[in-house]
Amino acid sequence: MDMNEILGFLLLLALLTGIFIGFPIAFTLICLTVIFGYIGLGDLVFNLMVFQAWGVMREETLAAVPLFVFMGYVLEQAGMMERLFKGFQYILARVNGALYLGVLFTSTLFATATGIIGASVTLIGMLAGPVMRESKYDPALSAGAITAGGTLGILIPPSVLLVVLGPVMGVSIPKLFAATIIPGLLIAGLFTVYVMVRSYVNPAVGPALPKDKHPSDYRAALREFLVGMLPLLALIGASLGSILAGIATPTEGAGMGAAGALILATAYGRLSRFLLKVSLFKSMLVSSMIMFLLMASNMYGAVFNRLGTGPLIAETLVSLNLSPIVMLVALMVIIFLLGWPLEWAPIIFIFLPIFLPVIAASNLDLLWVATLVAVNLQTAFLSPPVAMAAYYLKAVVPDWSLTEIYSGMLQFVALQIVALALVVTFPSLALWLPGVLF
Amino acid sequence: MTDPQRPQYQDELIGDFGTPITGDPALPVPLRRVVAAIDRGSELIGYAVSVCILFLTAVIIFEVISRGVFGAPTMWAYDLSYMLYGTIFMLGAAVTLRFGGHIRTDIFFAKFPPRTQAAIDIAFYLLLFIPGMWLFLVVGYDKALHAFVTGERSGLSPWRPLLWPYRAVIPLTSLLLIVQAVSEILKRVSVFYGSGQHGHE
Amino acid sequence: ADYSWTLQTGYAAGDEQHQSYVALAEKIEAMSGGRLEIDVSPGGTFVPAFEVIDAVNDGILDAGGGDGDYLVGRHPAGSLFASSPGFGMDSITLMSWMRYGGGDELFDEYVSEVIGFSDVQVFAMSPALAQPFGWFEEPIESVADIEGIKFRTPGLPVDVMEEMGAAVVTVPGSEVVPALERGVIESAEYFSPKADLTLGLSDIRKIYMMPSYLQIGLVLNVYVNEAKWQELPEDLKAIVEHAIMAESADFYWRYLRDNAEALAYMEEEQGVTVVRTPDDVMRAQLDAWEVVLNRHAEEDEFFAGVLESQRAYADQAVGLKARITPPLNIALEKYREE
Ligand code: NA
Ligand code: NA
């Protein structure tokens, strides 16, 4: 183990310390990366970090983030979010955990249209967070449903993760897209079953609307649905639908959602200079916070990679000459553990190539292995301390503490491990659909 | 803790976003003016930057209509999209710092007394933040200068706009962050030497 | 190892271009008895794909891999050293121009002065066959069919397709496959039968058009940081140079086998139909290229100088090659009929 590899381990330790002491996370990542990178790589580290910043700045697909956030704030400021969820509650007033259903359904819809988790976690957080709080939903379970639901976007195609993973594993991207659809929907299903069972066993975590708030007659409920909900549902449907129909790229779909929100606010007579100013300003703040965090985690991943600590762990494991299936399980465990301090990109770039020759030589179906890797990597967004989904949500729902958000997320991480085990046991969950389609 | 001196625009504009701290009277008046000037400057830049979101929306709508209805994609929408988005989040970082919007782990931090919080932050800004951002500024400036001297253009679309103005966003972001950090340090110094009444809101 | 380099390419891990750098590293390690080890990573591992040369110049990467098409934003002449039609010079002929016709000197000048990376040593490597025209919903039967078609391609070919009337849509790399699947773009080209198969283009479109003058081939580059290069002893320098030449030949041989197999697989197993591009369309491609190249030559002296050097070399080299090579379709028709 040379000097730089040890530095990499120390960087991990310092990161944990810094983040838990309470420095702003983005700047903890940036500044620790600077220090450890400087010791290990000299002043090159600054250039390396500027390159990473530039990489994030030129990622056109991320332009969807400020646009979806803006769409959310316009709707919120115009008071339309409240109506959406009131309408939803009216319809499902007697159902425990109705809002969880709404959150998970919207998340899954989002996931099939875009691959930007920052956008879905923030937008759905804005839409649902305040209403869930008002409705006395369990904060941990609410935060868990929003963050875990939001990260479905990176698993269910289209997804940047799959586009990067496919070529590394040597499997065709459309086939990988097809392979992840059923596991993605399976996870969405598991999430839904979990929240509904929790809500029925203990109605306090997802209470139904109290009797006195039930709609007085069906005509009122219908009216609320037509006037308050339908236009909003149409807006979200049009924004995501234009992506699904091939009229627009995900970024363009987000832009159309933002424009549509402005039109809707005008139609309801709510658009004012003040509303516009507030929505723009808040969207800018939230986007800046999100993208700075993403940029910081990319810098940290790149320097960690360049220090060479990662390959050491993986090479040690490969040198043990384990049997293919044991190696596959070991790979899954390693990826899962690495997902706590790292995001998916450094794991795919650095660790996977080291394991790949062993996996490839073992006659395991690479499409199946790639699907397992993708399901596994989705947990990286949900595992602290580098758990982007938690921070995105915290930015838009400041009332939930990070402790609550973490504890909610971890319940869903457990569900993902169940899903992973299912796909390991029944490979056809991944392989059936690509076989039918191609 | 609710601060009676909580600035009004915060209630109006950004609600409960972030955890900014306000200065304490312990800070001498000239320094308080510096803090006020920096904060106000950051806010004004923030307003200007936030309007880019409207431009971004307009650019995209134009492209969708132009391509979808008239079958004629624009040459410039692609480059403008990422340039506007990058400008928004980079130049918005300083004002986000001003409003305490860069998220932190509150598990332990929130339980520290205000003076301890201020001391941690001062150490963080002086030892890590300002040196790091300074070097970022220097390297970012070099890259922008190289792009300017060689006339570098974007190679991603047929529009091929000059890239140096966009590359200059990186050093500009660092500069704005350093200036804002000065204000943040002064506010925390005042809390550290002050009555202990004004911590995080 | 006495020396160990970190090399990052601008390509995806599964691309043949990336694999060529992996193969180069193996050759160098074997030839040097393990004295020089090179660790090869795909695009994006440390720096974005478009910034590889910049990162080598800074010393963040000891070495890098990319091609001139990645450099057209820095200066449009980059494409002339990579995939532009070069007055009919295919990639092997272009390698010949670079080594024996003054191209290497011009490329050195391009990298160190024109785009200002003076701390980089450059080498040309791995000539590829011509790139197919691309994947379409319906065959292109005439020049008129290109009008308004929503097409995706990178670099100077963007300008060429615009010149031909296509509606060129810029889609980021990660969106190409979903955009094709959903119809945001109608057609696209990537690189070679094998690379296209790996990316999955043959899963989405079934009409594969070739040949094409849009990109008559591709020549890759190896970038080495000047300081890292100078610290090598003379024998290792010679090993690197000759390993690059060995890999260039080996790449071409491997490329023929792999791509022949890939094309056969797509035709036999995936129902792909290969459609020959009409001659008129290819002539129109060259006309459009001429307009684009002349536009740049008028604006830029260096660009004009490179074109002039290529024209002079191609006049003899392409003249020889075209007249001495028997047309392959005669052989193909004879042996396929039997
Ligand atoms: Na998705
Ligand atoms: Na994580």
Side-chain angles (χ1 to χ4, degrees), chain C residues 227-295:
Chain C
K228 287 284 166 182
W229 177 250
Q230 292 307 342
E231 74 179 23
L232 290 186
E234 290 307 314
D235 65 326
L236 280 186
K237 281 185 185 166
I239 285 175
V240 171
E241 284 182 73
H242 289 95
I244 288 174
M245 289 163 74
E247 170 54 21
S248 295
D250 199 23
F251 175 81
Y252 196 82
W253 303 332
R254 231 175 31 235
Y255 188 97
L256 271 177
R257 180 201 61 185
D258 292 350
N259 281 283
E261 284 176 5
L263 193 62
Y265 176 79
M266 290 191 284
E267 285 186 283
E268 287 157 21
E269 307 285 328
Q270 295 189 308
V272 166
T273 308
V274 175
V275 177
R276 194 185 143 78
T277 313
D279 287 357
D280 281 354
V281 173
M282 283 191 275
R283 287 201 187 89
Q285 287 178 332
L286 285 179
D287 291 343
W289 258 117
E290 200 175 359
V291 173
V292 171
L293 294 177
N294 286 343
R295 196 186 297 147

Side-chain angles (χ1 to χ4, degrees), chain A residues 336-344 377 379-388:
Chain A
F336 179 75
L337 293 178
L338 287 170
W340 292 69
L342 292 172
E343 283 302 338
W344 59 270
L377 282 174
T379 62
F381 291 96
L382 300 171
S383 47
V386 182
M388 291 303 155

Side-chain angles (χ1 to χ4, degrees), chain C residues 153-167:
Chain C
T153 183
L156 281 192
V158 173
D159 305 46
V160 177
M161 286 303 282
E162 285 229 310
E163 195 62 39
M164 295 180 78

Side-chain angles (χ1 to χ4, degrees), chain C residues 14 30 32 152 185:
Chain C
S32 70
R152 195 261 181 195
I185 44 177

Side-chain angles (χ1 to χ4, degrees), chain A residues 110-115 152-159:
Chain A
F110 236 95
T112 55
T114 75
L152 281 172
I154 205 80
L155 181 63
I156 298 178
S159 134

